[in-house]
Amino acid sequence: MAGRIPDSFIDELLARIDIADVVGERVQLKRSGSNQMGLCPFHGEKTPSFTVSTDKQFYHCFGCGAHGSAIRFLMEYDRLDFREAVAQLAQMAGMEMPENTADAGVQNNHAPLFAVLERADRSYQQWLRQHPQRQRAIDYLQKRGLSGEIARRFGIGFAPPGWDNLLGRLGAADELKQAGLVIERDGGRVYDRFRDRIMFPIRDRRGRTVGFGGRVLDDGEPKYLNSPETPVFHKGESLYGLYEVLQADRQPADIVVVEGYMDVVALAQHGLPRAVATLGTATSTRQVERLLKTTGDIIFCFDGDSAGRQAAWRALENALPTMRQGRQIRFLFLPDGEDPDSLVRSHGREGFEAQLQRATPLSDYLIERLEADTDMQSMDGRARFVEKALPLLQRLPPDVYRHMLCERVAGLARLETDYLEGVVDGRETLTRDQRARRREPVAVDNAGVRRTPVRLAIALLLESPALAQGVDDLDALRRLNDLPGLPLLVDMLELARQDPHLNSSAILERFRDSEHEGALWKLATWNHLVPAEGLEAEFGDAMAQIRRIAVERRLTQLNERLQAGTLTTDEWSEWIRLKQ
């Protein structure tokens, strides 16, 4: 959703701004019918697939899947946060930012944090060059084969031994504590968090230091120590090395995810500056989404031992909600005793690249794990196989990719694909007659969208929000909420009815970062083949079908309760009303 800046402000801003002006300042566009097209700024391409819709006020790339409003474009292209992007657009539109929002206070409070983190970063780097006890750190880095140039590129530093080096140098105890750089014990004693460690600054997409990782120089524990969660540092979102990847190549063909800071730096030292590392935690969905905004191909590179394979499986599970057509995720397991650092040093860039070419696609790895310890020749074994697959398939967004993976799972389990997809979608248990009807072909377009009345209604509403003004039975529709997608449609109808001036971009922006965002963008860019002059009639037909189907489903449920003798008084009244 829009965050703490009032929705009304965002709505008016997007109504005033022409996205073609915003994008056109940064990307060369040419008119193509009612839209404008150009080369996508978010992935390398030679044939334009990047479209800016002036009618709907959003952009969409049919190559890499990038999409969004004018706000999202500035966030991704100029690497701004949400409030900064809104502020820049507000300045263009001649609107004054609402300064009394809670978000404004939070944003202003971040400035001292970024300042103290930057001062700490400079201090650590200076100590690596000048501190009397720096030699152990320099020897360690040289032993790992790092050059001075690569150390400068990544801002590697040194936290000297001692309890108050940073505290004594910077002094701002409160700011240092808020930034996670000092620890306060009972009794009020404050001391440096990082001591006698190689320091790796963690930067955001704009190059601002948000936290640190520290590698111990002896056999102490923990081997790696990270900054704690702070207002500007979130381990589940940040990625070490992503800023440096973007500095080397704004549109990398792929990004390699490794486990350690030194792996990232070593790969860059050997000519592979496209590696990032998670921060001591499992790879999160949010981190995968961030990477897929930069590249269409992610390669997870883990040790081949049990710990590495467990980390890979957790990465797979968390990556599933991001998978859709045009995206690729692969897995590479290194030989025993090897990590990316040791492998690239012993085999060089070419040898490591050769290993990357062997990476296993996500779908193959998923099937391989599901088939492990399963007797696929027996009915019971195949049933167990499907049981294990279902929760994973349900994490995938509706898309060509999910359809194809369902086809593969269904084939191995000797099931009909449509039946399996019905189970994945959470529909009612199908009777034999219903299963027979499910064998009939279902209309699926080239983008992988199944043409259902609810999806069509949502797509048409996104194209023309004014259609909502003709729907006046929202309460009745809300009671019939058993139909998949109907609650979302009702929410959108209510939103559009409350504000008749909302455009497509503003509605989509209301659902930004929600569970429905991906599906809504899919439908917003879907070619539903309904001409402009037929939108109102087609929308009316779709709504009529929705009401009929929803009523039939509800009556089926009530009939079952009636036969079981468990119908309540309210349900009896509802049954009579629906039968009329």
Side-chain angles (χ1 to χ4, degrees):
M1 303 294 178
R4 292 182 180 146
I5 300 175
D7 289 336
S8 57
F9 183 86
I10 301 296
D11 297 340
E12 183 179 354
L13 176 64
L14 293 174
R16 289 194 190 187
I17 288 291
D18 186 349
I19 190 172
D21 294 337
V22 178
V23 177
E25 290 182 358
R26 298 159 176 82
V27 179
Q28 186 174 355
L29 299 174
K30 291 184 179 180
R31 183 160 295 281
S32 175
S34 60
N35 298 324
Q36 297 192 49
M37 296 194 68
L39 296 175
C40 179
F42 303 115
H43 82 288
E45 63 178 7
K46 296 181 180 180
T47 303
S49 61
F50 181 79
T51 302
V52 177
S53 171
T54 53
D55 293 337
K56 301 177 184 178
Q57 286 295 300
F58 61 70
Y59 66 90
H60 179 77
C61 176
F62 292 92
C64 69
H67 57 251
S69 64
I71 298 173
R72 173 68 67 86
F73 183 83
L74 287 186
M75 290 175 66
E76 296 302 321
Y77 190 89
D78 290 352
R79 301 178 190 171
L80 306 178
D81 63 29
F82 178 78
R83 185 177 179 82
E84 290 168 336
V86 171
Q88 186 166 323
L89 290 175
Q91 186 176 19
M92 291 175 58
M95 297 173 64
E96 189 169 339
M97 287 285 288
E99 293 298 334
N100 59 343
T101 62
D103 205 35
V106 173
Q107 181 65 23
N108 290 337
N109 287 339
H110 288 174
L113 278 183
F114 284 122
V116 76
L117 285 161
E118 182 61 32
R119 291 173 63 198
D121 190 7
R122 290 199 301 268
S123 297
Y124 291 137
Q125 292 185 52
Q126 186 176 9
W127 281 329
L128 182 61
R129 296 191 303 270
Q130 299 177 357
H131 195 276
Q133 300 183 59
R134 70 186 186 279
Q135 193 58 47
R136 289 172 61 242
I138 293 174
D139 291 344
Y140 172 81
L141 294 174
Q142 289 178 342
K143 180 182 178 182
R144 300 297 294 264
L146 301 188
S147 66
E149 189 278 329
I150 207 72
R152 284 189 296 273
R153 186 193 307 176
F154 282 86
I156 295 175
F158 171 55
W163 295 95
D164 60 358
N165 289 288
L166 196 62
L167 187 62
R169 182 164 188 159
L170 302 187
D174 289 341
E175 286 86 354
L176 287 171
K177 185 167 65 175
Q178 192 177 14
L181 295 171
V182 298
I183 299 173
E184 183 176 8
R185 291 297 190 196
D186 294 339
R189 181 192 173 202
V190 179
Y191 58 91
D192 291 353
R193 177 179 298 274
F194 298 101
R195 306 176 305 280
D196 199 20
R197 290 178 179 269
I198 300 288
M199 298 300 293
F200 300 87
I202 303 164
R203 296 160 170 163
D204 64 13
R205 290 175 68 99
R206 297 173 59 192
R208 298 177 299 187
T209 300
V210 295
F212 293 91
R215 205 268 186 209
V216 72
L217 281 169
D218 52 29
D219 295 328
E221 293 292 337
K223 183 178 179 180
Y224 280 96
L225 178 66
N226 292 317
S227 291
E229 294 280 319
T230 73
V232 298
F233 177 58
H234 307 288
K235 293 180 184 179
E237 298 182 9
S238 301
L239 288 155
Y240 177 71
L242 181 57
Y243 171 74
E244 287 77 12
V245 169
L246 293 172
Q247 290 297 104
D249 186 352
R250 189 181 184 86
Q251 300 169 351
D254 58 38
I255 291 180
V256 182
V257 180
V258 294
E259 296 184 78
Y261 300 109
M262 282 302 303
D263 294 326
V264 172
V265 179
L267 289 174
Q269 173 78 61
H270 287 82
L272 287 157
R274 60 182 198 276
V276 300
T278 55
L279 308 176
T281 59
T283 307
S284 70
T285 302
R286 181 66 174 161
Q287 288 170 325
V288 177
E289 279 285 8
R290 292 191 68 189
L291 291 174
L292 288 171
K293 292 174 182 176
T294 303
T295 183
D297 188 357
I298 300 174
I299 305 173
F300 287 103
C301 181
F302 293 125
D303 295 347
D305 57 16
S306 59
R309 290 186 178 274
Q310 183 178 3
W313 186 249
R314 294 183 67 184
L316 179 146
E317 291 179 314
N318 289 331
L320 289 174
T322 72
M323 290 301 294
R324 62 171 184 258
Q325 183 181 10
R327 293 179 168 184
Q328 178 172 244
I329 291 178
R330 295 179 284 159
F331 294 86
L332 173 64
F333 296 102
L334 299 180
D336 290 344
E338 296 277 16
D339 57 29
D341 180 11
S342 64
L343 189 65
V344 76
R345 281 194 286 158
S346 60
H347 292 76
R349 173 181 175 176
E350 294 76 13
F352 194 86
E353 291 277 17
Q355 292 285 338
L356 293 178
Q357 295 302 314
R358 298 191 302 103
T360 303
L362 181 148
S363 58
D364 291 346
Y365 179 49
L366 184 146
I367 296 296
E368 173 190 317
R369 281 290 299 264
L370 293 179
E371 287 185 323
D373 302 321
T374 302
D375 179 10
M376 296 299 292
Q377 301 306 312
S378 71
M379 184 181 71
D380 290 348
R382 293 193 299 274
R384 174 62 178 154
F385 171 74
V386 172
E387 182 183 357
K388 292 191 295 182
L390 276 176
L392 301 172
L393 295 173
Q394 288 167 342
R395 291 178 66 84
L396 290 164
D399 187 83
V400 168
Y401 185 86
R402 190 182 80 166
H403 176 69
M404 294 177 70
L405 191 51
C406 282
E407 275 189 328
R408 187 170 177 188
V409 171
L412 291 168
R414 304 178 192 176
L415 289 174
E416 298 167 5
T417 302
D418 284 345
Y419 171 68
L420 178 61
E421 289 189 317
V423 178
V424 170
D425 285 336
R427 306 187 189 112
E428 299 174 72
T429 302
L430 303 180
T431 67
R432 181 177 299 177
D433 290 341
Q434 288 172 322
R435 293 180 192 178
R437 288 198 298 271
R438 291 289 295 162
R439 294 191 187 103
E440 298 174 2
V442 179
V444 179
D445 76 346
N446 290 334
V449 176
R450 288 173 172 268
R451 195 182 189 89
T452 68
V454 172
R455 287 175 180 156
L456 181 59
I458 291 175
L460 297 178
L461 186 62
L462 286 171
E463 182 163 346
S464 179
L467 292 170
Q469 304 310 311
V471 181
D472 55 9
D473 58 343
L474 292 184
D475 289 340
L477 285 170
R478 198 175 292 280
R479 286 195 296 269
L480 300 170
N481 62 3
D482 187 52
L483 191 63
L486 184 55
L488 172 60
L489 173 60
V490 174
D491 287 345
M492 295 176 65
L493 287 166
E494 190 171 42
L495 179 63
R497 281 180 60 83
Q498 288 174 353
D499 189 347
H501 303 294
L502 284 179
N503 59 23
S504 305
S505 181
I507 291 180
L508 288 163
E509 190 62 39
R510 290 288 187 97
F511 290 91
R512 186 172 65 87
D513 293 334
S514 78
E515 60 179 319
H516 304 298
E517 180 184 12
L520 287 177
W521 277 106
K522 186 79 173 178
L523 293 174
T525 56
W526 175 38
N527 182 11
H528 48 65
L529 302 177
V530 179
E533 60 273 15
L535 288 180
E536 186 172 355
E538 196 75 26
F539 181 76
D541 289 345
M543 291 304 300
Q545 291 183 62
I546 289 168
R547 294 183 184 94
R548 177 180 55 79
I549 295 171
V551 167
E552 289 176 355
R553 290 171 68 97
R554 182 56 177 161
L555 277 173
T556 298
Q557 293 176 346
L558 294 176
N559 284 331
E560 291 174 353
R561 292 178 62 79
L562 179 62
Q563 293 173 13
T566 58
L567 206 63
T568 66
T569 302
D570 288 342
E571 289 173 337
W572 174 255
S573 299
E574 183 184 2
W575 183 85
I576 294 174
R577 186 178 68 253
L578 293 177
K579 291 291 284 185
Q580 292 175 347

